[in-house]
Amino acid sequence: MRLLICVAAICALAACSGYTTKPDSAKPAPLAEPAPVAYERPCASLPTTPEAAFECDRRSILAMAGEFRVRFAFDETAALAPGYAPHAAQRSGGTEWVTVVADDGRFISLQHILVMGKDHIVVKHWRQDWQFEPASVLRYRGHGEFAHELIPAEAARGIWSQTVYEVDDAPRYGGIGRWTHAADADAWESDRSWRPLPRREYSKRKDYQLLDVVNRHTLTPSGWVHEQDNTKIQRDADGSLHALAREHGINSYKRISDYDFSAGRTYWEKTRAFWSSVRQEWTAAMASKPRFKLSPEPNGEPRAELFFNLAEKAVSGEAIAESEIKALVDQHLGASSEGRAAD
């Protein structure tokens, strides 16, 4: 009799919650990519020494290079501020080639190149730099400001920093974390850090000024996935912070072989020397300032357009003077405002 009562109670609860076992024909497609059967992980087994872990970490980072079909999905999952109305889910995608532009063992740089549509339109996309046991990490502090945060040697042991750069190689955000390889899963998760507004909302939203984020990169049998745990933060003039909403972002990179990325490779071959000089100038300018301000703020389209105009000259074979690149960098990167309280 007790069993019957329990079953009846469960059925009653299900009815109250609106639960149904009938399939929902409008159910959206899963965000996860189907996993192929054949898959060889970067590391066949769990590393048991620091040296083996370092090699597994390196192989995992390098495994994010290749040719991919990318899906971008962002959903606001919780309204945190009174009266806040969640915004519609965002879906987009494209085809992207990720190439290794530097690898000296402890430092790896991956450049993303979009190649889009039947016309194979090429757009230089974001870049991610990985540094093993970094002495410092670049942090976004809001108001377009960045600062180099020192990392004690003991705290840096075994970790990797990831620094992400804009399409014009200006800085965007940085974080530190540790790669793990347990339970047949290879993943890196960052500490919590700030980021500027994403490009998808920079020109549309004025109600928040920064994202508070934890990033996770996970290898999958089909490629890799970049997950983002985002909190949208409104920042008042006096520095006080107010959480508006929580958002979950999933960027899925599925390895493909049915799309021609040769236009992206050709573009990179013609411009990689130019973009190498751009990276060097940004690096030198940032290194000379413990705290600096990017102008306009990250996502500044006018600034990126200036660099892309020079890149087009490089495509046509024109030599770009380093002084011209340096002048552009100096024009948009200055010292931080004096007297601003540390965040």
Side-chain angles (χ1 to χ4, degrees), residues 138-155:
L138 189 64
R139 300 289 198 185
Y140 181 63
R141 297 302 191 192
H143 300 296
E145 294 188 352
F146 294 81
H148 298 279
E149 181 181 292
L150 297 179
I151 304 174
E154 185 62 30

Side-chain angles (χ1 to χ4, degrees), residues 31 54 61 103 112 131 144 155 182 184 190 219 252 261 272 287 300 336:
L31 292 176
F54 170 70
I61 295 169
D103 177 11
H112 293 236
Q131 179 67 57
D184 294 335
S190 76
L219 303 187
S252 302
F261 285 90
R272 63 180 179 180
S336 174

